């Protein structure tokens, strides 16, 4: 087939670069792309599957989550400046979680009709002509490019996919006007090969030797990692180091993936325990951690040595990142951890005293009694009771998308997650990830059950009318468990914290933080093709979750609204 438009070339190139899904929020600017999707399909040419969306932040969260599950960037097409703005806080999450996503935005046409095909023929196209459309994402994008000529398209798409996927991954933002999309494609020199994504960086071997030697000599080492478990190999590397060195593993302040089984004796999910271990440590190994501890909760030893391994150890996107690092190593976390563990094993094999120190520490860590498992219990529902009930209902391979905010501690300390890749929050605080994120996880892992565990505020930030209808439309059902404490607890506690004797504390509430007219969540679910239940007593949690999970297994999204009393 001879391609007729640059839009056809664009869709074709996305597929050629491995993009499987094109999430589309259409507008006047996307007409050539919409036509291209059908014309390429009729011609039998491969291209990404089109997923229509009714809100941009939901699409972006889905693409972000898909990246987390697969490491493959997808494309989100949004409508000029307005659609870019609707990406909203999910842009923040893509930046902080280092996700690979290509966002393509229409740009208002340059030409006027009569004139070039696709030129301005609608009043809005003058209004859309804003001074700095890329400026909307400038602080969040890793790379930006406008396609101004058809003959640059092959390089623009190739670079977008290459740059977004290379470490540290980040947003690629392309803009293209409708008249350029309508131009005849320039295929004579078109290429799709030659845009290799760099392999994950291995650490400097001398640095590996120094870190392993420090761990071998340490009396009280600790591993702080927020993201090493983002790959199965990274999860295995964390557990291998913990099994060899018996050191505590922490680093959940950013609410990242499962880095180590929640049942592993080295797992230290509690914030206070983590702060104590870090304060006591003589060697701290930070691996892909942006917020390893809160300075106010930790007093470091004078003789501590801090090693930091990260693809971007200088944290160039964080202006005042100033954790006291003695040695910074630029490398992929999972790759570096495997190398450090191998080197430590080599040292222990040659030095019996070190081998004994390590095995003693492993034995001590295994002798500690495991944390008690939460029970669903009876009476009023607590966040831990919900975790206890979920532990009874869900499978080890189910994937939980966490956005539990002030109840994240209950998730990390109470929910059993023993396998890699079974916890997938945004790992960043732009609320509204869990629902779109669950769609993306389900797209990537259609064989798994997906469960969003979210605050009631976060549920609403997730644009549930859009996400639940998309679940029906895309065939990506998921279960949502709302930890419904009647509003924004996270925005209330700091008021009490800063003003312990203030007017808010005296009243027992803070302005703007309670939902006095909350939606009827099960009814909202029902209106969006989903199953819904409200649960008010802990005894009812397990049966309700089982009924909802059965609906999800049968192909329908479900929402369980768990009513929790919290200050
Ligand atoms: C997009 C966005 N808006 C506002 C905030 C500020 N914020 C942080 S937590 C929070 C409350 C979240 O409420 P909910 O999900 O119900 O959790 P809870 O605080 O009740 O545990 C708000 C509004 C944010 N992080 N992101
Ligand atoms: Mg809440």
């Amino acid at each position: 087939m001879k391609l007729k438009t640059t839009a056809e070339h664009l869709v074709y190139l996305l597929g050629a670069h491995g993009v499987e899904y094109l999430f589309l929020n259409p507008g006047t600017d996307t007409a050539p792309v919409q036509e291209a999707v059908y014309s390429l399909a009729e011609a039998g040419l491969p291209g990404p599957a089109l997923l229509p969306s009714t809100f941009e932040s939901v699409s972006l969260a889905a693409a972000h989550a898909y990246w987390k599950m697969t490491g493959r960037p997808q494309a989100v097409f949004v409508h000029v400046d307005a659609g870019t703005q609707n990406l909203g806080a999910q842009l923040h999450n893509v930046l902080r979680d280092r996700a690979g996503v290509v966002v393509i935005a229409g740009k208002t046409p340059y030409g006027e009709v009569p004139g070039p095909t696709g030129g301005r023929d609608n009043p809005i196209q003058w209004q859309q002509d804003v001074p700095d459309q890329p400026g909307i994402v400038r602080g969040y994008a890793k790379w930006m490019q406008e396609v101004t000529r058809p003959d640059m398209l092959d390089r623009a798409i190739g670079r977008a996919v290459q740059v977004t996927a290379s470490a540290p991954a980040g947003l690629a933002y392309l803009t293209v006007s409708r008249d350029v999309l309508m131009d005849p494609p320039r295929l004579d020199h078109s290429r799709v090969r030659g845009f290799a994504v760099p392999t994950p960086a291995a650490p400097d071997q001398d640095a590996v030797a120094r870190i392993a030697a420090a761990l071998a000599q340490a009396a009280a080492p600790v591993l702080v990692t927020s993201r090493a478990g983002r790959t199965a190999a990274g999860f295995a590397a964390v557990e291998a180091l913990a099994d060899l060195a018996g050191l505590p593993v922490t680093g959940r302040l950013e609410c990242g993936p499962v880095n180590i089984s929640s049942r592993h004796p080295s797992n230290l999910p509690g914030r206070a325990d983590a702060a104590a271990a870090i304060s006591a440590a003589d060697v701290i190994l930070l691996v892909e951690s942006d917020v390893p501890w809160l300075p106010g909760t930790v007093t470091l030893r004078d003789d501590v040595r801090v090693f930091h391994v990260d693809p971007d150890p200088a944290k160039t996107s964080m202006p005042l990142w100033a954790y006291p690092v003695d040695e910074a190593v630029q490398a992929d976390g999972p790759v570096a951890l495997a190398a450090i563990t191998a080197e430590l094993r080599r040292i222990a094999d040659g030095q019996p005293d070190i081998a004994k120190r390590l095995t003693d520490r492993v034995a001590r860590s295994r002798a500690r009694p495991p944390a008690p498992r939460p029970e669903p219990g009876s009476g009023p529902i607590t966040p831990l009771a919900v975790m206890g009930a979920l532990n009874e209902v869900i499978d080890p391979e189910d994937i939980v998308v966490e956005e539990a905010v002030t109840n994240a501690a209950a998730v990390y300390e109470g929910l059993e997650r023993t396998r890699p890749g079974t916890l997938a929050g945004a790992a960043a605080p732009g609320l509204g990830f869990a629902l779109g994120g669950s769609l993306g996880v389900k797209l990537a892992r259609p064989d798994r059950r997906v469960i969003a565990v979210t605050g009631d505020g976060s549920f609403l930030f997730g644009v549930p009318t859009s996400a639940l209808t998309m679940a029906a439309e895309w065939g990506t059902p998921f279960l949502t468990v709302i930890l419904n404490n009647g509003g924004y607890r996270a925005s209330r506690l700091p008021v009490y914290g800063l003003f312990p004797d203030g007017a808010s504390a005296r009243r027992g509430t803070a302005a703007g933080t309670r939902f006095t007219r909350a939606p009827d969540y099960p009814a909202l679910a029902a209106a969006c093709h989903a199953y819904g239940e409200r649960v008010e007593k802990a005894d009812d949690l397990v049966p309700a979750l089982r009924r909802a999970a059965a609906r999800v297994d049968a192909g329908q999204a479900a929402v369980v609204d768990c009513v929790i009393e919290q200050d």
Side-chain angles (χ1 to χ4, degrees), residues 455-457 483 485-489:
D456 50 336
L483 303 175
N485 55 12
Y488 298 153
R489 185 165 173 252

Side-chain angles (χ1 to χ4, degrees), residues 404-407 454-458 482-490 492 513 515 566:
V405 195
T406 61
N407 293 314
T454 160
D456 50 336
S458 300
I482 304 178
L483 303 175
N484 179 358
N485 55 12
Y488 298 153
R489 185 165 173 252
R492 186 160 57 245
T513 63
F515 300 166
Q566 283 184 316

Side-chain angles (χ1 to χ4, degrees), residues 207-233:
V208 168
R210 284 192 294 274
I211 296 172
L215 289 173
Q217 297 299 336
V222 60
L223 170 62
V224 184
T225 181
S226 309
R227 307 162 40 77
R230 64 189 159 80
T231 64

Side-chain angles (χ1 to χ4, degrees), residues 487-504:
Y488 298 153
R489 185 165 173 252
S491 312
R492 186 160 57 245
L493 298 182
V495 184
Y496 301 160
L498 289 176
F499 304 98
D501 306 316
S504 311

